[in-house]
Amino acid sequence: MSADYADLCSAILEQCFGKVVQSVADCLFSATTRTLSQIVSSTNFSRKEVGLALSVLIKFRLVNFEPSKSNAYLPEYSLRREDVICLLRYSRYIHLVQSKYGNVGASIAEELLNSGSDTATSILLKCLSNGENKSETAESYKNILLKMIADHYIIKSPELITSEEGDDLVPRFLTNECDFFVPPIIDLQLLAKIQKGESTLSNAQDSAMVWHLNYDRFHQEFRDDIMKIAIERKLGENAAECFRFILNIMYNTTDPWQRRVSNQVTYVEIKQTIERKSNNLDLLKHLDQYIALITDDSLGFLRKVGDMGGGQYVVDMESSFESLAFACVESVITERFGSKAARIFRVIRFKKFIEQEDLQKEAMIPAKEAKSLAYNLFQEQFIHVKVIKKAGGGGSGPAKAFYLFQIKTKDTVRMLLDVCYKALYNIIRRSNFEKSEHKGLIEKSQRLDSIVETMKERGESEDYIAEIVETFTPPECEILNKVKHRIKTLSKAELTLDDTIFLLQMYQHHCTTLPTGIQKFK
């Protein structure tokens, strides 16, 4: 992990949990594992404060612990660095759930995200006490919760193993994949009693079963959306719908996070599924052409590997995300250096190795301009130089060297990721600065809005309300509007950057052997 990512994680954790948790996480980020005593001595916080910070991080599944190899009674803590950036994606997770399960699902997801992890009964109690969806019953909340578990959006945390060896042992957990999505038993009558104060949560049958959101399931949806949107933009809606059905069939036999290519899908399976589930007559009529169109496209999302069953196809994740990632890289180069620089980058990528003289001819750019643009790309590490030396004649003359431009794909993507991390860190810091600099003005505006809303509910006259509103002077209004506009622009930039980071992370997962932190279940 780079220093830029460490700074970003530190800023995110400070924004979400405060200074103590940030310091503890920074301490864990700089080492593989640390004991409680080591964290206390490094952070200069009290043992109690560090313990509370660790409990928060563990509850939000950002820290793991296990017994020390040298002492089974001593726990060692490690930070799950890859998951820290997921804190920024909470709004995207809630939006996805809302689009699939409505406001009830969004309420459940929001409560789970706010609490980190919780029992099913406790989640339902919090949702019902909020009163956001007053028309919804406890049973509808229960049904949506069970549906989200069945669809793998919510996953059960590993269960605690009770030990008879003593209380001093480090807690151990049982991880059973077969048990991750078994629905809990929720007693609605007990739920009603708890709401009335006639019973407690400890009496619930699911009090030992803790649930949390399954990030990998959400990331699978985001990844599929990237591919479907790319096909829709290039080949049309029908081709995108066809590819959506292919992905659904693929997941029946393929691990969603298989790195390179999927298992084989036959034409017969695709046709039968579309005939059964789709009402798109145009797609049914021209299915052969749409599959051929996706297969022949330069993006390389689908590849034909055999003729059995009307044709066998695989979804080529490696080729797909290499195409998408380098389309993103070219877009960045175009924005920073212009279209001619992007053309030079494409020529080098196509040729793999090329000399300066050949580059200007292939790119059809004047020698001086091509040299300047190539130097700029080299300076920013988008391209690299490979030196090939050849010994001089008879051993007496100087060695001759050839300088070839090349693109190191992994290094280029890693460099761009670090740039995105740094930019995202700067956005967060700038947004926090704007909020703290104009804190008084923002709080005054919020108080005034609250007062006006209360007056409207009481039925006060419009003239009296207008008189109260006028206490906020025009210069203050102008400053506040500018601040709101800046914060809104920064928020949009944050979302866009996170989209780019996610795409480049998918490239690293599917096109390299780098550890990405993505597992089948977490």
Side-chain angles (χ1 to χ4, degrees), residues 110-127:
E110 191 172 356
E111 288 299 335
L112 260 179
L113 289 169
N114 289 337
S115 59
S117 52
D118 212 338
T119 63
T121 303
S122 177
I123 295 163
L124 294 181
L125 279 171
K126 289 175 183 177
C127 291

Side-chain angles (χ1 to χ4, degrees), residues 172-238:
R172 291 180 297 117
F173 296 91
L174 177 66
T175 302
N176 182 9
E177 289 189 9
C178 300
D179 199 32
F180 280 158
F181 304 104
V182 175
I185 299 171
I186 301 171
D187 189 345
L188 293 179
Q189 292 180 347
L190 179 66
L191 200 66
K193 288 181 180 179
I194 295 171
Q195 282 184 294
K196 294 175 184 176
E198 298 173 4
S199 186
T200 60
L201 271 172
S202 58
N203 296 326
Q205 295 182 28
D206 67 331
S207 58
M209 298 171 67
V210 179
W211 300 85
H212 62 263
L213 285 191
N214 183 15
Y215 291 152
D216 285 348
R217 183 69 180 88
F218 285 91
H219 293 164
Q220 179 189 331
E221 287 287 335
F222 297 157
R223 181 194 65 186
D224 293 351
D225 282 344
I226 288 172
M227 299 170 76
K228 286 182 281 190
I229 290 169
I231 288 179
E232 184 176 348
R233 284 177 178 173
K234 193 170 184 182
L235 306 176
E237 292 182 4
N238 290 340

Side-chain angles (χ1 to χ4, degrees), residues 457-512:
E457 288 177 1
R458 288 204 306 260
E460 300 282 356
S461 66
E462 291 294 330
D463 294 338
Y464 186 42
I465 292 173
E467 188 178 334
I468 297 296
V469 170
E470 284 174 3
T471 58
F472 207 74
T473 62
E476 286 178 329
C477 283
E478 187 179 353
I479 294 169
L480 184 65
N481 289 333
K482 286 181 179 178
V483 171
K484 285 182 177 179
H485 178 70
R486 279 199 292 268
I487 292 173
K488 188 176 180 181
T489 303
L490 289 168
S491 297
K492 286 181 180 178
E494 184 180 312
L495 291 172
T496 306
L497 264 175
D498 184 51
D499 287 341
T500 305
I501 287 170
F502 182 78
L503 172 59
L504 298 177
Q505 285 177 336
M506 288 301 100
Y507 168 85
Q508 285 194 326
H509 178 77
H510 290 294
C511 304
T512 72

Side-chain angles (χ1 to χ4, degrees), residues 183-395:
I185 299 171
I186 301 171
D187 189 345
L188 293 179
Q189 292 180 347
L190 179 66
L191 200 66
K193 288 181 180 179
I194 295 171
Q195 282 184 294
K196 294 175 184 176
E198 298 173 4
S199 186
T200 60
L201 271 172
S202 58
N203 296 326
Q205 295 182 28
D206 67 331
S207 58
M209 298 171 67
V210 179
W211 300 85
H212 62 263
L213 285 191
N214 183 15
Y215 291 152
D216 285 348
R217 183 69 180 88
F218 285 91
H219 293 164
Q220 179 189 331
E221 287 287 335
F222 297 157
R223 181 194 65 186
D224 293 351
D225 282 344
I226 288 172
M227 299 170 76
K228 286 182 281 190
I229 290 169
I231 288 179
E232 184 176 348
R233 284 177 178 173
K234 193 170 184 182
L235 306 176
E237 292 182 4
N238 290 340
E241 185 179 349
C242 176
F243 190 72
R244 177 171 62 84
F245 282 111
I246 292 171
L247 286 176
N248 292 338
I249 298 164
M250 178 193 81
Y251 291 133
N252 294 331
T253 57
T254 305
D255 180 353
W257 294 106
Q258 197 160 298
R259 284 204 179 225
R260 303 291 181 182
V261 295
S262 71
N263 295 337
Q264 295 173 1
V265 176
T266 65
Y267 172 80
V268 172
E269 287 178 303
I270 299 169
K271 187 175 181 180
Q272 288 176 348
T273 303
I274 292 175
E275 286 176 348
R276 191 170 63 252
K277 296 183 178 180
S278 177
N279 296 321
N280 190 333
L281 297 177
D282 188 42
L283 175 59
L284 290 168
K285 185 177 179 181
H286 304 288
L287 180 60
D288 296 353
Q289 288 90 326
Y290 282 117
I291 291 176
L293 198 62
I294 299 170
T295 306
D296 296 337
D297 188 71
S298 59
L299 289 172
F301 283 12
L302 196 65
R303 182 154 51 87
K304 190 173 183 179
V305 293
D307 297 317
M308 190 174 69
Q312 292 175 309
Y313 300 88
V314 293
V315 178
D316 194 334
M317 293 292 186
E318 183 178 10
S319 174
S320 304
F321 281 95
E322 185 173 1
S323 301
L324 292 170
F326 278 92
C328 175
V329 173
E330 286 176 20
S331 176
V332 171
I333 292 172
T334 303
E335 291 296 323
R336 290 184 63 181
F337 306 107
S339 58
K340 289 183 180 179
R343 194 191 312 166
I344 287 173
F345 183 83
R346 279 194 296 270
V347 168
I348 297 171
R349 185 165 172 246
F350 177 74
K351 291 289 185 179
K352 293 188 173 58
F353 297 97
I354 190 169
E355 286 189 281
Q356 172 70 50
E357 292 76 14
D358 296 332
L359 178 61
Q360 62 203 36
K361 293 174 187 175
E362 291 286 341
M364 293 184 290
I365 297 172
K368 188 176 179 181
E369 190 176 5
K371 189 174 182 179
S372 173
L373 291 170
Y375 176 76
N376 289 337
L377 291 173
F378 172 73
Q379 193 176 33
E380 296 295 328
Q381 300 178 40
F382 285 101
I383 63 176
H384 301 81
V385 172
K386 184 179 181 67
V387 181
I388 300 175
K389 291 185 178 180
K390 182 180 179 183

